[in-house]
Amino acid sequence: MPHQEKSDLLQGTLEMLVLKVLSLGAMHGWGISERIQQMSKDVFQVNQGSLYPALQRMKRKGWVRSEWRVTENNRRARYYELTATGERQLDRELAAWRRSSGAVERILAVAY
Amino acid sequence: MLDRLRGRLEVLISVFRRGRERRELDEEVQFHIAMETDKLISAGVDPAEASRRANVRFGGVERTKQEVRDVMGFRWLDDLVLDVRHGIRTLAKTPVVAVVTILSLGLGIGASTAVFTIGNAFLFADPGGLAHPETLVAVYTSSDEGRLYDETSFQDYLDIAADSRTLEDVAAYRIGVLNAGDARRRDRIVTELVTGNYFAVLGVTPALGRFFDADETVIGSAHRVMVLSYRAWQDRFGGAPDMVGREWRLDGEVFTVVGVAPEGLRGRFLRLDVAGWIPLGIPGGTYHATPEELADRGDRDYQVIGRLRPGATRADAGAEMAVLAQRLHAAYPDQWEDARGRPYVFTVLSEKDSRVPPDARVALAAAAAFLLAGALMILLLVCANVGGVLLARAGRRARELAVRSSLGASRGRLVRLLLTESALLAAAGGALGIYLAYLATRMFRSLPLPVDIPLRFDITLDHRVVLFAAVVSIGAALAAGLAPALQASGPGLMAAMKTEPGGAVKPGRKSRLRSFLVVFQVAVAVVILVSAGLMFRSLRAGLAADPGMDLRGVALTWVSPPHQDMDPAALRRYFLDIEERLQARPEVRQVALSRMAEAHLMMDGSALLQVEDGGETPQVRFNAVTPGYLEMFGLNVIRGRTLRMTDGPGAPLVAVVNEAFLRRYQPSTPGPGGRIRVARWIDFGQALPRPAATLEIVGVAADRAFPGESAVPRVWTSFLQDDPVRAIVYIRGRGSAASLVPVLRQEIEPRPDDVTLIDPMPYVDLLDMRFMGHRLFARITALAGLFALILAVMGVYGVVSFAVAQRLREMAIRQAMGARRRQVVTAMLSGGMRMTAIGLLVGLGLAVPLAFLSRSLLFGVSTLDPLAFGGPILVLATAAGLASLVPARRLLRTTPMDVLRAE
């Protein structure tokens, strides 16, 4: 199967979702993917593998940091946590999202 | 902000902990999949099924890891390491090809680097510790309207120093070759004779001690002081810390070392390794100027170097010197005009330009550029060959590459993979090349020249050279590897996977070009090898041949008595004493003395008589010899008598001549009884202070000549009627020449601190020097021949190998159709051999006329010497045959079924 680059839009959205999830508390990778699934009521079934590169990118941008901890079941897992920069980024992203979705709604409302 | 920084930093650090990062990522992914599996199991799914589904849901595990590593920036590093490992493995599978390739790349890169190194040393290298070399200039006196560069006379130098406003300090210097002697070593050294301000002008400070004082450098001052060079201090005196104040005997006089120059300071001329510096005003000694010479404005022997005043430019100095030159010409017209009446001028050159003799500079640069271009062209040829070999290999790997591509490797990735192989070869070749260049420069540095002057140049591998080698290696890697890599990973990849394993390359124009190239290479190899063969054969013949004088078993030595200002009678007595003592030794059968050594390349032809012959004054070689000389060397006197002891100081002047002399100058006389009118006596280019004389011919000797030369007219005068300041002593005994060397030492050097300069050796060793040029040339040609052979063989291998890969399928079908294996292989083989045969024929076609043209350079061997021609042909044919056989063997081992099945 030929290799494809993810579209920017998709990547950005994923990151925003991850930021949101993490704003509710530190979580490991699997947990993040489960949360996204739950919160979106299964509308988003993220290709789980694509989560990790995204997390790595966010780590590089300084939005999250990671730490190895032990889960309740006594397993080792890498937990991700939002940084102050990440929080600010989340706010910015949410604001931008609201602006653009609001615009889309208005357009749709008018067309109707 | 801080978080961002921290994020970046972590990524950077993680590069060093790649192993750990990899493990952690593995663990993280495992954890994820495990959690997913557990979730499914607790939902009632069968464990095996749960695991499978979890994996599917995750997506490509490997790809995910790759992507993460990509983001981390590891990818390229990991890939590189993998590629290198893979490359090494692949190369190790065909070690012969790898070694041959590395060897030829090494030779090509080495040759280029060596030429560059030598050129760099002479043209570009640093001047060695001078202060502000850009404000140093050299002044030359030039004739022919400034085109011919000459040295400057001492008087002119004094005027320059006194009058110049643009130069704040000016020094003069010249080369002096002296006899140096101390307990451990006794030989000749090169020094620079300098004015007192020499070191000040150069702006250097001593490493030890001091430079010259003012009173030591006054002209005519008898202070025998010396500044030692750093190299001499280390090599000869072991870097002794108490060097200052120690003494060294030079030219029989005791010199005191007052200091050591800083490391890196060398002679001005081509960065010659001088032993040290001596004030030029010291009288006496063989190389110091006499007061008359110093006062002679026409005696141009000195180099002038000066420091520009701050603010003055070279152009300013040039203008000033031009005016000065005019003044001097007006004041001293006799000394300031050339043979055609044109005035000399002063030329001012920068220090950099003056390192190489200005006349030679352009020629040197051109020669260096030419050689470098040649070497690079050879390298290009090598790369073409290597490229051919790599192409053949890449063709065979087409399937592997196609599979990799399907697994997700991009084209760039594949190219990188293939390029790594050529990069590895080039890197190894580059390392080898630098080493070879180092060896070459070592060899060049201590080249034994046919002069007994130790010329040593400073040629080292500096950073520029290493940089050059690196660039050339990279270039070679790209040149050799890029085309095959691009081709093999190209659009035909899909087709390759489906059809034949031979690679998706169109035959036709390209392979015809390559075949032509191989034919050319074979031809070149033939020509070079045949030349080398002829040269070696002729060399052997020359060395074995009768040298025209019977030198066997003779040991000789120069004898330079310790006190050169003995009167002639005392010197004669001194030498005859030596002769008597040697004659008394039981090991010695024959003893003779002479003024100079006829078999010595430099000495023969240095002693000349200017003879009056009709209206002309030709110059004839002569040697002053003792009576035993002619007999000793088999120069048989066929008419008249040989020289006798009675032909002494008061007796009539006599001479023995050879037949060639009579034929040339006195064809009508029978010889004995004839007369020779000598107008001048010349030795080493200097007229001897001896009156004109008439010699009576008392005997005629038979002609003998060195191989490859015709007999030269010669005259032998009596040693006792000569006034030698030094002589050559010969002895022949029962034993070998080498065994007689100690005898010479014992009789001539009774006391260990006696600084009579002697240098005993077997006579034949001197003769070897005559052939030194031949020998060197033959060696170089042989090396080039070997190289050409390797290239040609590689070329054949590459082309045949490629053809085999191409037509494997076709051949297999033919075999399946019933053609016998043998026939198929022969068909393949014949292609390679045909190329070789054509190449051999072309090569022979070139070599034969070349041999005829250079007939004059060869002696003792016939022009179409069978060994010299046959040998290379045999070797080339065999090597090419093997090179064709090896890939063809693949054909033997592959059955038709293998090939067809692979589809």
Side-chain angles (χ1 to χ4, degrees), chain B residues 70-89:
Chain B
D70 237 340
V71 176
M72 282 176 142
F74 283 174
R75 190 88 170 267
W76 66 271
L77 200 58
D78 282 344
D79 289 346
L80 189 67
V81 170
L82 275 175
D83 283 350
V84 168
R85 284 220 199 104
H86 183 87
I88 293 178
R89 267 203 307 272

Side-chain angles (χ1 to χ4, degrees), chain B residues 11 35 55 125 238 556 795:
Chain B
V11 171
M35 293 294 278
N55 269 292
L556 59 70

Side-chain angles (χ1 to χ4, degrees), chain B residues 453-800:
Chain B
I453 298 172
L455 286 176
R456 250 195 301 274
F457 303 102
D458 172 45
I459 302 176
T460 49
L461 268 62
D462 66 11
H463 60 281
R464 268 188 223 93
V465 169
V466 176
L467 190 66
F468 175 84
V471 166
V472 166
S473 301
I474 292 174
L478 284 175
L482 199 60
L486 284 175
Q487 200 146 55
S489 61
L493 214 50
M494 281 308 101
M497 182 151 159
K498 282 193 237 140
T499 56
E500 50 188 330
V505 180
K506 275 201 293 290
R509 242 189 24 239
K510 265 215 196 115
S511 58
R512 260 209 297 282
L513 182 66
R514 293 192 49 227
S515 302
F516 176 72
L517 194 64
V518 173
V519 166
F520 175 70
Q521 283 169 352
V522 172
V524 167
V526 169
V527 172
I528 298 181
L529 284 172
V530 166
S531 310
L534 285 173
M535 265 191 255
F536 271 111
R537 299 272 292 159
S538 127
L539 194 63
R540 154 138 339 145
L543 285 173
D546 180 354
M549 284 168 59
D550 191 2
L551 305 177
R552 287 167 303 179
V554 174
L556 59 70
T557 177
W558 278 264
V559 179
S560 194
H563 305 293
Q564 309 255 328
D565 43 354
M566 286 197 245
D567 69 60
L571 280 170
R572 239 171 284 150
R573 187 72 255 153
Y574 174 83
F575 287 122
L576 290 178
D577 253 352
I578 292 177
E579 193 183 18
E580 281 167 21
R581 283 207 300 277
L582 285 168
Q583 196 76 68
R585 293 280 298 238
E587 305 98 316
V588 175
R589 281 192 300 137
Q590 294 172 307
V591 185
L593 279 80
S594 77
R595 188 190 180 88
M596 55 95 176
E598 286 166 41
H600 189 280
L601 195 61
M602 290 295 282
M603 291 194 109
D604 190 22
S606 65
L608 300 164
L609 298 175
Q610 195 147 18
V611 168
E612 282 170 22
D613 178 38
E616 319 215 313
T617 51
Q619 295 180 335
V620 182
R621 295 183 194 193
F622 88 95
N623 198 0
V625 301
T626 55
Y629 182 91
L630 292 170
E631 186 193 327
M632 188 176 200
F633 291 113
L635 298 161
N636 300 319
V637 175
I638 50 178
R639 290 201 286 281
R641 66 163 176 89
T642 181
L643 298 165
R644 293 200 283 253
M645 288 303 285
T646 51
D647 297 317
L653 298 176
V654 294
V656 172
V657 300
N658 65 357
E659 291 175 301
F661 179 89
L662 283 185
R663 270 200 306 272
R664 181 78 183 281
Y665 301 109
Q666 301 186 3
S668 44
T669 65
R675 285 183 148 45
I676 308 174
R677 277 207 59 79
V678 178
R680 279 210 303 175
W681 308 71
I682 300 169
D683 195 356
F684 276 113
Q686 306 267 10
L688 295 174
R690 226 186 266 183
T694 307
L695 306 173
E696 184 192 335
I697 301 177
V698 295
V700 181
D703 278 340
R704 291 182 80 157
F706 289 104
E709 299 171 9
S710 47
V712 170
R714 286 184 192 275
V715 175
W716 290 276
T717 62
S718 169
F719 188 81
L720 298 165
Q721 291 173 338
D722 203 64
D723 38 5
V725 292
R726 66 187 85 82
I728 315 227
V729 178
Y730 311 86
I731 56 175
R732 181 188 266 129
R734 296 168 212 297
S736 70
S739 67
L740 292 172
V741 167
V743 174
L744 284 170
R745 269 201 208 282
Q746 285 157 19
E747 287 308 329
I748 305 180
E749 255 189 353
R751 294 190 311 279
D753 60 344
D754 188 340
V755 285
T756 305
L757 184 79
I758 76 169
D759 197 4
M761 64 174 81
Y763 203 166
V764 292
D765 285 0
L766 268 188
L767 189 65
D768 278 357
M769 287 202 213
R770 232 185 159 88
F771 289 100
M772 208 186 55
H774 279 96
R775 199 181 277 141
L776 187 69
F777 203 53
R779 283 211 190 120
I780 291 179
T781 311
L783 199 68
L786 179 68
F787 192 34
L789 177 69
I790 292 179
L791 276 187
V793 166
M794 275 185 68
V796 170
Y797 174 81
V799 169
V800 173

Side-chain angles (χ1 to χ4, degrees), chain A residues 28 30 34 37 47-49 52-53 56-57 59-62 65 68 75-78 80 83 85, chain B residues 3-4 6-7 11 24 27-28 31-32 35-36 38-39 57-59 63-64 67-68 71-72:
Chain A
H28 48 66
W30 183 76
E34 280 294 289
Q37 208 177 306
N47 183 353
Q48 295 182 347
Y52 291 95
Q56 183 65 25
R57 269 191 291 272
K59 214 161 107 171
R60 203 169 66 177
K61 289 190 260 198
R65 58 173 160 266
W68 283 90
R75 274 178 165 146
R76 239 170 68 95
R78 184 152 36 195
Y80 294 86
T83 62
T85 317
Chain B
D3 295 321
R4 184 118 182 250
R6 189 170 153 216
V11 171
E24 287 187 352
E27 198 178 339
E28 191 173 8
F31 170 81
H32 185 122
M35 293 294 278
E36 185 70 19
D38 285 351
K39 180 180 110 176
R57 272 221 65 197
F58 189 86
R63 227 192 31 243
T64 304
E67 267 188 66
V68 174
V71 176
M72 282 176 142

Side-chain angles (χ1 to χ4, degrees), chain A residues 27-41:
Chain A
M27 182 53 70
H28 48 66
W30 183 76
I32 295 173
S33 115
E34 280 294 289
R35 271 290 169 74
I36 291 178
Q37 208 177 306
Q38 284 169 17
M39 282 162 56
S40 71
K41 304 245 186 304

Side-chain angles (χ1 to χ4, degrees), chain B residues 796-853:
Chain B
V796 170
Y797 174 81
V799 169
V800 173
S801 182
F802 187 70
V804 163
Q806 277 279 88
R807 299 164 60 186
L808 205 58
R809 195 165 141 252
E810 173 196 335
M811 290 299 151
I813 290 177
R814 283 219 200 148
Q815 282 188 45
M817 292 287 189
R820 294 207 1 248
R821 280 256 194 106
R822 226 12 70 101
Q823 287 175 320
V824 168
V825 171
T826 318
M828 284 271 76
L829 213 56
S830 68
M833 293 316 288
R834 199 175 33 242
M835 261 190 316
T836 311
I838 297 177
L840 287 174
L841 280 173
V842 173
L844 276 176
L846 291 171
V848 166
L850 198 68
F852 271 104
L853 280 176

